[in-house]
């Protein structure tokens, strides 16, 4: 598969990263070599069934409300906080 | 190996953790004395090796005082007085936990990780935080916000990674035990490159709670030490079921403390030498060291045969897809909103805040893996990559199950090469990723694996032998490891130089 | 040229319903509403590094009950996935939800018209936090982050605002009735997204849909759909194309407004959450839950109508609130073995007099001042004809005011029904004699006036006479006079 710069851009956008043009170029090259290597997978016979199995009984907890007291500490080290809330630049989009 | 110190009070760095604990518990050495000697050693070497990202004597002294009180009260403490260095991707309450990343530069977790909690309860002393590759992404410890770690056997060389600080500190006797995490070999590979013992337990054996996730389905915490028995001791403490980790296994664990003769040699063992671990890309010296070990085992009367795990050839590709896919998701929470690094550059909106904080907070290697993981999960590529990788994963599991039908344990090298010079492989992702070729299988399949030092190469750098067992076969794994250990007598024969070799200097960037 | 009448409305609803649990879906934080900002948070729901989710068993139980109630099939193995996107109040950068393998597939609800609305699926997921937008920035409160939800997705089988509202009400009744959710719509415990599109009647091809987000009342749902139909019709009739959009309903204007276009870049990259093993819901687990499953509202309604002979209106009213139907059933139990008291009459008392008094007095249904036993006392007097129906209403009003027993009121106020033939005959004679005009008319064939005499007799006795007896006696007297 050919890794195009558009593909790198799209992944960066989804990952919320901005890349320098240097990084852009380097990632494209590195990703290309990794995907070339992954080409190996096409030789793998694909119909060997499901992913990781072992259905162990699901671990569930009892419905008991427990009070945690970490919020004060966490507010103390939040990048920006006011009135016991985390603050980010105003978001215009309503929902 | 077991030579007695002339006086009990004099600390000998040759002592095992087990012995130290028993001396402390019998009050034959004051805790303070044990701790002081390791403090001195740490002070001596930590800057030279850059093994620590956080070290605070005051907090150590505080723990010592607390421990003395508990000992006075007659508490039975399995790790009493044992200095333990913890990898920096494992949460320590109130103590910086950064995973060697700028994005968590000043982060102080409000709670201890499960393993840290268990260590404290058992009387262990948290002896600082170990340098590692950022978010455990790396195989050389060169990818740390706090700079690379040096290998005690040759300061120009990398210690391996990602638990490089943890392994190097044990090799340099700065602590008897350290804790690392292993996602694709991150405990075993640096242990091999630093000439110490490293264990990756069965997936689900040790709780991951408080371990900053790299790849949740592969991550497992494991101990690093100078000998096999010490690892069993630590495992018995950190390896309890944790009801707050849904992937923590509920089955009862073997009790290494009381299991009489767990280390005695099994009469009959069938051992498989994995073909795929002896092929292309494995250095000839590593190979010949393996052959020597095979002979040794045969001399013990064990059956050693070659065995093939045919689907292993796909393992690295599958591993990097699964690991980066999970990582891209696990690292999404680092967004500069609630904790950690927030860019100070002026941003106009939330999206810019995300982008600036993440782009400035993550290193290029981390960004690259996030991008790779994002890509393989994205629309149109999921089946071809992530889907396929999981099928490979199952196929490899089936292969191993098959092999374990015929063999009790499997062996092979831990790392295809010994420690290399800093900077040597940084430019080429693939060559770096190939360093994990022998270790990732245990993570993909969840089986336990241990690396023990088995010799030196011509540059006097350690070679590691890996033993793999079936799920929850830790007792058998550790037994064989101990047999080999006592035959090889590595730690009494060889000591790290703590110097740089001339010939490697040229590789420095 | 396309005209109005050629369009058909196609509606599918996605309902988010909060499960009634004490703690969140994956951590132990309380789910109480109205706490101080971020008080109900912990390392897990704050998304701190190293934290892990552990599933709440009660949430799974409630979810399974719902699946059963809507005839869905519960998957023995389902999977929690991560739905990945960045949002200020989504702490982990992903929402734990179910995508590929939800815990419930299929199911249906039946509307009163008999039309079946198919369900596509139901899945469990965690809620996000809340943002408060201030001029100086957006403030984030994570108390809601991690609250357990089920998302109930219907097929696009609804074809009018009324059907949509009825469907939503039916669903609401089920979750409230079975204790799956408190159903509180103002607090966001029950809200829905509506997917609306228009298609040509002649065509089988669905139109482009708009998704209206977060409708938290039945009225809003109705209004939003009505507005959307108009809006889309206008676009289509003028030859335009509806855009695939997420829209928001503004209750103050009654309009929907575009929030954003659905983009190709909406790529949630779902994958199984590696922190959570597959969810195995075994038959044993299911059996244990369903053993104590309360009666479904539909079944209850059928029982009320078919077995008890209630009127449809009364049945619907009783079933709409589990506490009300419980009140009714307690009353039935109290009155079991009492002759002359049909369930239909009892129901009528509950939905009529009792509900009116409840509203007037502001009683709660959980703990009404007038208990079922209390009311049963009155109805027993009615059944054995100690009081007439009319008198019973008088007694009831006094009970509401004084909360005394019916017996005491009847005794103290002398309200006992007169069944003595002599006394009745006496009053009847008086009444007939006092109305010669009406008597003449009656005798000349105006049979309807029988009721008039009965009424007069009852009035004269202040309602104390047994009305049946009165009727009988009057008939007898009048016949006698006719015969003369
Ligand atoms: Mg949803
Ligand atoms: Zn919480």
């Amino acid at each position: 598969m050919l890794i195009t710069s558009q593909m790198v851009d799209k992944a960066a956008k989804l990952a919320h990263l901005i890349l320098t043009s240097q990084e852009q170029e380097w990632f494209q090259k590195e990703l290309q070599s990794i995907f070339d290597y992954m080409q190996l997978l096409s030789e793998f016979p694909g119909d060997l069934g499901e992913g990781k199995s072992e259905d162990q009984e699901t671990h569930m907890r009892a419905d008991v409300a427990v009070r945690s007291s970490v919020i004060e500490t966490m507010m103390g080290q939040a990048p920006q906080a006011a009135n016991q809330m985390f603050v980010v630049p105003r978001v215009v989009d309503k929902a | 190996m077991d030579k007695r110190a002339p006086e009990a009070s004099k600390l000998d760095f040759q002592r095992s953790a087990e012995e130290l604990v028993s001396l402390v518990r019998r009050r034959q050495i004051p805790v303070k004395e044990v701790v002081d000697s390791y403090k001195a050693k740490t002070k001596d070497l930590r800057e030279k090796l850059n093994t620590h990202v956080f070290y605070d004597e005051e907090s150590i002294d505080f723990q010592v005082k607390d421990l003395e009180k508990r000992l006075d009260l007659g508490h039975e403490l399995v790790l009493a007085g044992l200095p333990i260095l913890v990898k920096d991707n494992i949460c320590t309450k109130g103590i910086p936990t950064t995973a060697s990343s700028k994005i968590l530069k000043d982060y102080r977790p409000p709670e201890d990780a499960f393993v840290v909690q268990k260590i404290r309860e058992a009387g262990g002393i948290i002896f600082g935080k170990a340098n590692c590759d950022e978010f455990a992404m790396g195989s050389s410890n060169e990818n740390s916000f706090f700079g690379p770690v040096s290998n005690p056997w040759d300061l120009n060389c990398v210690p391996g990674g990602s638990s490089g600080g943890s392994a190097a500190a044990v090799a340099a006797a700065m602590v008897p035990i350290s804790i690392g995490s292993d996602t694709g070999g991150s405990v075993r590979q640096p242990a091999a490159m630093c000439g110490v013992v490293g264990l990756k337990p069965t997936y689900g054996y040790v709780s991951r709670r408080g371990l900053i996730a790299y790849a949740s389905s592969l991550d497992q915490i494991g101990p690093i030490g100078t000998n096999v028995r010490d690892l069993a001791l630590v495992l018995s403490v950190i390896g309890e079921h944790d009801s707050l980790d849904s992937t923590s296994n509920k089955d009862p664990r073997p009790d290494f403390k009381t299991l009489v003769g767990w280390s005695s040699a099994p009469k009959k063992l069938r051992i498989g030498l994995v073909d795929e671990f002896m092929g292309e890309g494995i250095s000839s010296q590593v190979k010949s060291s393996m052959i020597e070990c095979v002979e040794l085992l045969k001399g013990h009367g064990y059956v050693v045969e070659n065995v093939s795990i045919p689907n292993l050839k796909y393992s690295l590709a599958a591993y990097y897809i699964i690991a980066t896919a999970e990582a891209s998701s696990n690292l999404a929470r680092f967004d500069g909103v609630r904790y950690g690094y927030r860019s100070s550059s002026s941003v106009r909106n939330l999206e810019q805040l995300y982008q600036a904080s993440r782009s400035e907070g993550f290193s290029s290697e981390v960004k690259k893996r996030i991008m790779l993981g994002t890509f393989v999960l994205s629309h149109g590529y999921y089946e071809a990559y992530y889907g396929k990788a999981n099928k490979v994963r199952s196929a490899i599991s089936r292969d191993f199950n098959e092999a374990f039908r015929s063999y009790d344990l499997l062996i092979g090298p831990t790392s295809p090469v010994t420690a290399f010079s800093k900077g040597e492989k940084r430019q080429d992702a693939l060559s770096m990723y190939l360093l994990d070729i022998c270790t990732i299988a245990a993570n993909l399949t969840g089986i336990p694996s241990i690396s023990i030092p088995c010799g030196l190469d011509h540059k006097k750098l350690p070679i590691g032998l890996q033993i793999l067992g079936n799920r929850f076969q830790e007792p058998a794994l550790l037994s064989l490891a101990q047999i080999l250990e006592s035959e090889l007598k590595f730690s009494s024969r060889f000591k790290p130089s703590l110097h740089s070799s001339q010939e490697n200097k040229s590789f420095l960037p | 040229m396309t005209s109005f009448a050629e369009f058909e409305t196609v509606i599918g609803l996605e309902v988010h319903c909060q499960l009634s649990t004490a703690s969140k879906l994956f951590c132990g934080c309380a789910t109480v509403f109205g706490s101080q900002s971020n008080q109900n948070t912990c390392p897990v729901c704050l998304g701190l590094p190293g934290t892990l989710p552990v599933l709440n068993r009660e949430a799974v139980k409630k979810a399974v009950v719902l699946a059963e109630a809507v005839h869905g099939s519960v998957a023995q193995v389902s999977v929690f996935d991560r739905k990945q996107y960045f949002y200020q109040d989504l702490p982990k950068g992903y929402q734990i939800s179910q995508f590929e393998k939800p815990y419930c597939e299929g199911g249906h609800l039946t509307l009163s018209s008999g039309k079946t609305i198919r369900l596509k699926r139901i899945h469990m997921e965690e809620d996000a936090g809340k943002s408060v937008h201030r001029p100086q920035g957006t403030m984030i409160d994570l108390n809601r982050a991690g609250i357990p939800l089920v998302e109930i997705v219907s097929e696009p089988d609804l074809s009018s605002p009324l059907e949509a509202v009825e469907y939503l009400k039916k669903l609401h009744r089920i979750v409230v009735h079975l204790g799956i959710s408190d159903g509180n719509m103002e607090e966001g415990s029950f809200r829905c997204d509506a997917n609306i599109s228009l298609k040509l009647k002649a065509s089988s091809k669905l139109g482009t849909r708009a998704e209206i987000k977060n409708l938290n009342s039945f009225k809003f749902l109705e209004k939003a759909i009505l507005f959307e139909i108009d809006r889309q019709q206008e676009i289509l009739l003028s030859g335009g194309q509806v855009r695939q959009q997420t829209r928001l309903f503004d209750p103050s204007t009654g309009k929907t407004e575009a929030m954003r276009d659905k983009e190709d870049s909406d790529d949630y990259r779902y994958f199984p959450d590696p922190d959570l093993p597959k969810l195995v819901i075994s038959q044993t687990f299911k059996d244990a839950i369903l053993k104590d499953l309360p009666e479904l509202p539909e079944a209850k309604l059928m029982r009320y109508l078919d077995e008890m002979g209630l009127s449809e209106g009364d049945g619907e009213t009783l079933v709409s609130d589990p506490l009300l139907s419980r009140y009714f059933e307690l009353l039935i139990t109290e009155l079991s073995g009492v002759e002359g008291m049909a369930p239909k009459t009892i129901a009528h008392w509950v939905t009529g007099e009792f509900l009116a008094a409840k509203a007037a007095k502001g009683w709660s249904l959980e703990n009404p001042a007038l208990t079922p036993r209390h009311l049963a006392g009155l109805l027993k007097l009615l059944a054995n004809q100690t009081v007439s129906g009319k008198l019973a209403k008088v007694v009831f009003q006094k009970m509401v005011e004084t909360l005394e027993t019916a017996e005491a009121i009847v005794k103290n106020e002398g309200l006992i029904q007169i069944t003595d033939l002599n006394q009745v005959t006496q009053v009847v004679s008086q009444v007939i004699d006092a109305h010669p005009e009406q008597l003449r008319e009656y005798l000349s064939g105006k049979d309807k006036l029988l009721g008039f005499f009965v009424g007069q007799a009852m009035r004269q006795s202040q309602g104390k006479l047994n009305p049946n007896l009165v009727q009988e006696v009057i008939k007898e007297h009048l016949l006698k006079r006719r015969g003369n």
Side-chain angles (χ1 to χ4, degrees), chain B residues 393-410:
Chain B
R393 189 176 189 173
S394 314
I396 295 171
S397 279
R398 275 193 295 272
D399 285 357
F400 271 99
N401 281 341
E402 194 56 43
F404 285 125
R405 249 190 276 266
S406 313
Y407 302 98
D408 302 298
L409 294 161
L410 303 175

Side-chain angles (χ1 to χ4, degrees), chain A residues 66 68, chain C residues 24 26-30 40-46 145:
Chain A
V66 190
S68 161
Chain C
K24 292 184 178 179
F26 295 113
C27 64
C29 290
N40 303 333
T41 59
C42 73
V44 176
C45 56
L46 287 170

Side-chain angles (χ1 to χ4, degrees), chain B residues 56-74:
Chain B
D56 174 39
E57 299 205 334
E58 225 173 284
S59 97
I60 293 171
D61 294 342
F62 182 80
Q63 294 177 72
V64 169
K65 282 207 188 86
D66 182 59
L67 176 61
E68 274 164 349
K69 267 184 241 154
R70 290 158 72 200
L71 287 170
D72 288 344
L73 290 168

